[in-house]
Amino acid sequence: MIEGGRAAGTIKVVGASRGGFIARMASARLDEPGIRWVIAGPCNAAQLTATEPPAMTGRVLAIKETTDTVAGPYTPREALHATTRSFEEVMLSTGRDHGFQFDADPAWIAPAVAF
């Protein structure tokens, strides 16, 4: 149980763009394998290459856009850890570059909700 009485399996954290990077940091700090993490187009390539990527825990869904030039070549697989219970990746081809996540597009919202 998480503080406040919630079971970790009932919690899902979704982070897009810079929020995806923040979600990675939170996952590493919380170290709670029951939480589900959705990271869509995580960016902050300079920090990711300058430091060791934070190890994620729990269940991880990565949503990436094939034309995204902001998130760069980084793949969330690099951030996995022994406490990562599962990893799934959804590749989108909306042609909207990093902007694929800037509105409530069902292309990325639907997989995030379903996860």
Side-chain angles (χ1 to χ4, degrees):
M1 290 291 203
I2 303 290
E3 186 177 328
R6 291 279 183 199
T10 65
I11 299 171
K12 181 189 311 181
V13 177
V14 180
S17 190
R18 177 79 42 108
F21 183 77
I22 293 168
R24 287 186 59 197
M25 300 292 288
S27 174
R29 288 195 178 194
L30 287 176
D31 193 23
E32 176 54 62
I35 296 176
R36 293 171 290 160
W37 301 90
V38 178
I39 52 175
C43 71
N44 196 340
Q47 187 166 359
L48 286 174
T49 57
T51 62
E52 184 71 24
M56 295 189 75
T57 60
R59 295 173 52 204
V60 179
L61 172 64
I63 302 174
K64 297 174 68 178
E65 162 61 41
T66 58
T67 61
D68 190 341
T69 58
V70 175
Y74 159 75
T75 175
R77 291 181 190 274
E78 298 167 7
L80 302 185
H81 187 266
T83 56
T84 304
R85 292 180 49 198
S86 68
F87 175 82
E88 297 175 37
E89 188 171 51
V90 172
M91 295 298 293
L92 305 176
S93 293
T94 66
R96 295 180 57 207
D97 196 17
H98 199 62
F100 81 94
Q101 61 200 313
F102 294 164
D103 61 19
D105 186 340
W108 78 272
I109 297 290
V113 169
F115 184 69

